[in-house]
Amino acid sequence: MTKLCYDMIKFLDLEKINNRFRDEIDSRIKTILDKGWYLQGEENEIFAQNFAKFCGTKYCIGVANGLDAINLIIRAYGFKNGDEIIVPSNTYIATILAISENGCTPVLVEPDINTYNINPDLIEDKITPKTKAIIVVHLYGQAVQMDKIWEIAKKYNLKIIEDSAQAHGAGVNVGGELKKVGNLGDASAFSFYPGKNLGCMGDGGCVTTNDEELFKKVKAIANYGSDRKYHHIYKGVNSRLDEIQAAVLDVKLKYLDEDNKKRREISKYYRENIRNPKIILPKTYYENSHVWHVFTVRTDKRDEFQKYLTDNGIQTIIHYPTPPHKQGAYKEWNHLSYPISEEIHRTIISIPISPVMTKDEVEKVVEVINEY
């Protein structure tokens, strides 16, 4: 881990981000302590209702983390061993782990080199009689182009599962109105890991859906398979969002749109002012609804560039250095080639972006990069 100097521009200053809400969070936690109720209580119900409304869905279920959220959706659909689920080859490995955990077969599809999201034009060729679902990952804060995916899913009777872990508040334009992630498929998984645009103070996640049957099933499976106390209708698991995390999230949810707006402003400044031919800037199809969870650039000399930025007081992170098909967990795929994903993972690096960055910090990042 890079040792930060005193004037280092942090990749993400979580202390500064969360201190803005300190008084409100303290008040909500005090209420929880006074009530003495820590799981499956009023705070969970309040947050679930508010987040469902935010996404535009009927239902939301708080769970322990984002991986569990995907896992629970797949499990609730009852897919069988060997059923195939299409998933982008360029994603964090959690998306794929959830498929494997349920005995299903991940079928990797290459991304669009410009957006880093799954390329809709490549999906149909990967569909077989065993295909049951498409998982779309709204990577780095940009919603996937959904029009063609909706058509494919309808044509082949496939479920659409969203991995919305990096895209709280992002969306696509439908009929002149913004339709947010979490409401673009049959069900969606969210992570509330602390570094997310909407992050809690530990692990947390949720599932959103408009499907009442799926909602009830996920809620039961996540609570030991129980629909009521000591009555178990499924072989379930323990995956619950605790009351403190739900309260923290509910406080921060009120400010999410404004925080995302600030991220868009920083992104626009970066894209208009970084003018270094060695640096490839990200592209977007949804200028007004990309939420810029991270701002990624690409360069052929990434290690050299990262060291240069560190030496000049700018902290960076690589999202992600190794694609899933080259990980030891999936040795059976190591011989496969997904050249677009490999190119992205070889060259990509994320620079600071957050709602608490100052104008001077943003300008320094641009100045330093332009001098590289």
Side-chain angles (χ1 to χ4, degrees), residues 4-50:
L4 304 187
C5 59
Y6 72 96
D7 59 349
M8 176 77 77
I9 297 175
K10 293 182 180 180
F11 177 76
L12 187 66
D13 193 336
L14 285 177
E15 182 179 4
K16 191 173 181 182
I17 286 172
N18 289 323
N19 275 342
R20 297 175 298 159
F21 318 119
R22 181 68 177 264
D23 290 344
E24 288 183 74
I25 289 172
D26 283 349
S27 177
R28 292 286 284 270
I29 291 176
K30 182 180 184 301
T31 299
I32 293 168
L33 294 174
D34 289 344
K35 288 190 294 188
W37 193 289
Y38 308 112
L39 287 169
Q40 296 183 304
E42 186 178 7
E43 297 295 337
N44 252 280
E45 289 298 321
I46 292 171
F47 172 68
Q49 290 174 13
N50 287 338

Side-chain angles (χ1 to χ4, degrees), residues 14-268:
L14 285 177
E15 182 179 4
K16 191 173 181 182
I17 286 172
N18 289 323
N19 275 342
R20 297 175 298 159
F21 318 119
R22 181 68 177 264
D23 290 344
E24 288 183 74
I25 289 172
D26 283 349
S27 177
R28 292 286 284 270
I29 291 176
K30 182 180 184 301
T31 299
I32 293 168
L33 294 174
D34 289 344
K35 288 190 294 188
W37 193 289
Y38 308 112
L39 287 169
Q40 296 183 304
E42 186 178 7
E43 297 295 337
N44 252 280
E45 289 298 321
I46 292 171
F47 172 68
Q49 290 174 13
N50 287 338
F51 194 68
K53 182 178 180 181
F54 176 83
C55 294
T57 60
K58 293 180 181 178
Y59 307 108
C60 172
I61 313 106
V63 298
N65 54 65
L67 174 56
D68 277 7
I70 308 172
N71 199 344
L72 286 161
I73 293 169
I74 296 173
R75 185 166 179 170
Y77 275 130
F79 299 138
K80 300 179 178 63
N81 285 348
D83 283 347
E84 295 175 353
I85 298 178
I86 288 172
V87 64
S89 56
N90 179 47
T91 183
Y92 184 56
I93 198 170
T95 320
I96 297 170
L97 290 173
I99 300 173
S100 301
E101 176 68 16
N102 284 277
C104 298
T105 301
V107 177
L108 307 185
V109 172
E110 285 270 63
D112 180 330
I113 190 64
N114 293 309
T115 66
Y116 311 130
N117 281 334
I118 193 169
N119 187 337
D121 294 331
L122 303 180
I123 291 175
E124 199 161 5
D125 287 344
K126 294 295 185 80
I127 293 174
T128 75
K130 294 182 179 181
T131 307
K132 301 299 180 183
I134 302 168
I135 294 184
V136 295
V137 181
H138 306 298
L139 199 66
Y140 303 148
Q142 177 161 219
V144 172
Q145 293 173 278
M146 295 298 298
D147 289 353
K148 180 166 282 191
I149 293 173
W150 286 328
E151 292 176 7
I152 293 169
K154 183 177 180 180
K155 180 178 178 180
Y156 294 95
N157 193 29
L158 304 177
K159 296 295 184 183
I160 297 176
I161 300 169
E162 298 176 80
D163 180 342
S164 304
Q166 298 186 11
H168 314 74
V172 300
N173 190 293
V174 179
E177 295 185 1
L178 179 68
K179 190 169 185 178
K180 289 181 179 176
V181 304
N183 191 26
L184 300 178
D186 295 286
S188 178
F190 285 88
S191 165
F192 299 124
Y193 181 79
K196 304 298 186 185
N197 289 33
L198 180 62
C200 55
M201 304 287 183
D203 271 323
C206 79
V207 172
T208 59
T209 185
N210 291 307
D211 182 337
E212 184 178 9
E213 182 180 352
L214 182 74
F215 161 71
K216 290 179 177 178
K217 194 167 183 181
V218 167
K219 190 172 185 179
I221 293 172
N223 185 34
Y224 299 99
S226 173
D227 60 343
R228 63 181 187 271
K229 196 172 181 66
Y230 301 133
H231 186 259
H232 305 272
I233 55 176
Y234 305 111
K235 296 174 182 175
V237 297
N238 176 16
S239 181
R240 299 176 295 197
L241 184 68
D242 70 65
E243 288 288 277
I244 289 176
Q245 302 305 339
V248 168
L249 290 165
D250 196 57
V251 168
K252 296 176 72 174
L253 179 60
K254 295 181 294 184
Y255 304 96
L256 180 56
D257 281 337
E258 187 62 32
D259 279 359
N260 285 341
K261 180 182 177 183
K262 179 66 182 294
R263 288 174 179 269
R264 280 193 289 273
E265 290 170 355
I266 296 171
S267 163
K268 184 177 181 182

